[in-house]
Amino acid sequence: MKLRFIEIKMKKRGEKPTFMLSVIIRLLSLAMGLGVVAALFLLQGVNPLLLYFNIFRVAFFTQYGLAETLSRMIPLLCIGIGLSVPFRAKIDNIGAEGQFLVGAIAAAGVAFSFPDLPAVLLIPLMFAAGFALGALWAIPVAIFRVMGKFKGADVVLSFLMVFPAYLLIVYLVNGPWKDPEGWGFTQSPLFPVNSQIWQLPGTRIHLTILLVLALTFLIHYYLVRTKEGIPETKLGYEINVVGENPEAGAAAGINFLKIALITMIISGGMAGLAGVGEVAGNLLRLRPEISTGLGFTGIVVAWLGGLNPLGIILSSLFFAGLLAGGVEIQMAGLPVTVIDLFNGSILFFVLLAEFFMRFKIEWRILK
Amino acid sequence: MVTVLKMQNICKSFVGEGGGEIRANDNITFTLKRGEVHALLGENGAGKSTLVMNLCREPDSGTVILNGEKVELHSPRDALKHGIGIAYQDLSRTLVERHTIAENILSLATGFLLSPSAIEEAIREALVEYDLGELDPQMSIWKLSGGEKQRVEILKALITNPDILILDEPTSMQTPLEVERLFSLIETLKAQGKSVVIITHHLGEAIRISNRITVLRGGKVVDTLDEVRVEAMKKEPEKGARELAQLMVGREVLYDLERKGLQEGPIVLATQDLRVNNDMGVQVVNSVSFKVRGNQILGIAGVAGNGQRELVESIVHWREATGGNIHLHGEVITNKPIKEIRDRGVSFVPENRKKALILNMSVRANLMISYYADTPGLFVDREAMIKKTDGLIKRFSIETPSPLAPVRSLSGGNRQKVVVARELSRQPPKGEQLLLIAENPTFGLDVATTQFVRQELLKMRTAGAAVLLVSSDLTEIMTLSDMIAVMYKGKIIGVLDASSATRESVGLLMGGVVGETSNVGEDELIEA
């Protein structure tokens, strides 16, 4: 008896998949992720199609929902765009959550220290501090990624650095920045008026959205976009080289540590900016649970967007919609943490899609 | 004697990186008799390892006949079941670095219940029985030296007590003493009626140990030397080595290249007692000193694997030099950052194309990697790069549908042209000569591209560059070099002036046979 009756071969694709094909592969992976979650909904006795429809309707076709979607999009886009930069250089930063949290801490620190500065000075100062602290939180990851003995520890390290950031907030809001009128809630007092970022009246869409869109454009223009196959900057070119073949990059004399540091500073800094925007523009207080996993969702946002700024705008909109439409999930009688299910299963299939971008499967039946 | 193993009309091809087909085994027929040691000789890429690998995976076509019966061997386990023990060459793929010796050998055990202590006991017994020296079964593989790892691999092949033992370059990392031990072990096995296939490219070893020798070149059998001829060689090993070297490297039909006589330029590169380790941490370049001048091609001949790769890689600091010095234009550049070395006018055409090319990126992006940083500032000078890369594609007639096509879509020859175009067009700093290091620059190329690359190397020489050419292709060395240095086991064992060198004299040195002709050159080289 012959056991082997089928032959399956993985083959490297000769050419990169076309733009259309890559979009189709990603959309399929998204659909599969939603499919898996739908199966879980069914097990809970919830009609997934109806639920998806309601989430979609609330998130994009109600005034309140759309405003909420755009408000949720601000941190997701900021984190996702930032993450795409090291991801393109094959550096894994899964600690955006921690970088986001320290950004929020920096914002609170500046706001409470200089409450009397005029807003035009205070708010930029908060963003600068948030960027700096976020970047600082990310730098060890770059070092661990590159330095001899630690190779590969970057994933673990970037993840572990989330927890000190979180515990630092817990400490601060229970200690030095405890709200005296907080009735025992673990939170800081309301941010001083001068430090509050202007919101579109009646919504929670704050001005940070302009900053984020500007940064998205800058990263697209200077690092990603190519004309005649050549990016605008040397850094953009080097990131591509290192991401495609780090050995060849090193052989040509590109300093990997430099690339790792710069990309991680951009990534950590942008997560920090997102943290500033979130506390100063939306929540107006520091609390331990400010993030609700935005930093992790940002990873999925970046990959689903194909690490391309324009794609990331769309994917961040999609996930923001899921978050905003999340009320519908609760209405259906499911816990709101179901959102994490979406994150996980979609990331799983999106990463699988990356595999299909590089390889194709061929099979034949053996005679 | 009875034939125990016959491999008949074996063909095995691989799809090369360019989509082109590489015929690694082209209709090879090979027989192994009971109680004989049969050496497989050939250069890198000749198809030796591919041939024996066909005993643990299916070839594209051809049959394997074991003890008169046709068998199909799908996996290493099948090979074991049929009494074939194989010690593979690529240890990084056969030994699990993080596991202990015992755990590695445990993978061969049959049955459901595995007993580490029983395995350890069996290993200790086998070590004594086969006289393989001291090895602690509980030691992790990564802690072992290259030679020890090789002994573990040999032990792995032996411990199942196979009738046929296949050793793929078992001596490349062993000390002379260990080689002696291994050879006496092989003698013992032979006396027990077992059959051994040994793959090597050390000619002397092959003559000493084997009853018959099969020489492969380019995936085909060049010749199988029977017992009578090998016996004759044993009496005159030098003459035998010469004969084998000729069979191995062969003679290619090429048009003559024009080589003008040139005045030698100043010394560009000089090394002094250079010592370098290979990936396994074994020192494979042992105190090498030489110098290359402008308008000169120094050819480093030698059978692949004698330290040439490590030597050139240490010059551009792809690899750490562990001792000695490298001088460029009189200044020490040992272990300086790669960029600094390259900016001083060093070009490198490596054999390792994986490190030279980024397959997923465009031809243009690959060409500009040596030029994009020429202008100061943060921005790429796009206009200049387009002009430069389009110019290179035209001048070197790289066949690509567009400058933006990924290198992956190019044929092997055109990929090499990309590397050659990029590296040969770099400008040295004003007033200095370019140093061009070419490591097997025509390996795997068709005749036309080979000719083209060689002509370009000669043009560089005329233009004043100092060229260090490493090649295991004797024809290439003979037609291009002004001086020929021969590397053997990590040392330069002879230096010849190209005008007086013959294929024979170089071939002999490549086989490790030091004659009188070589001494003069070596002295001359070290003195400066």
Side-chain angles (χ1 to χ4, degrees), chain A residues 127-186:
Chain A
F127 276 117
F131 187 93
L133 206 55
L136 194 69
W137 218 251
I139 284 173
V141 183
I143 293 170
F144 271 65
R145 174 72 172 85
V146 178
M147 292 301 194
K149 295 271 190 306
F150 300 117
K151 265 177 203 155
D154 52 332
V155 176
V156 179
L157 180 83
S158 63
F159 180 64
L160 288 183
M161 285 196 49
V162 172
F163 300 100
Y166 175 78
L167 292 172
L168 191 58
I169 294 188
V170 172
Y171 162 73
L172 287 170
V173 297
N174 280 300
W177 296 344
K178 191 176 164 64
D179 185 1
E181 298 151 25
W183 305 65
F185 283 112
T186 49

Side-chain angles (χ1 to χ4, degrees), chain B residues 4 242 277 288 297 368 481:
Chain B
V4 284
R242 197 177 311 160
N277 291 351
V288 165
I297 298 183
M368 65 187 257
S481 316

Side-chain angles (χ1 to χ4, degrees), chain B residues 391-432:
Chain B
L392 288 178
I393 291 171
K394 207 167 152 206
R395 189 159 90 72
F396 287 83
S397 41
I398 299 167
E399 280 168 42
T400 171
S402 127
L404 300 183
V407 170
R408 188 180 288 286
S409 65
L410 267 54
S411 71
N414 278 299
R415 288 181 189 186
Q416 183 70 349
K417 276 187 179 175
V418 172
V419 182
V420 169
R422 182 178 80 201
E423 294 302 310
L424 267 55
S425 313
R426 298 180 70 233
Q427 292 298 319
K430 271 222 151 43
E432 287 183 342

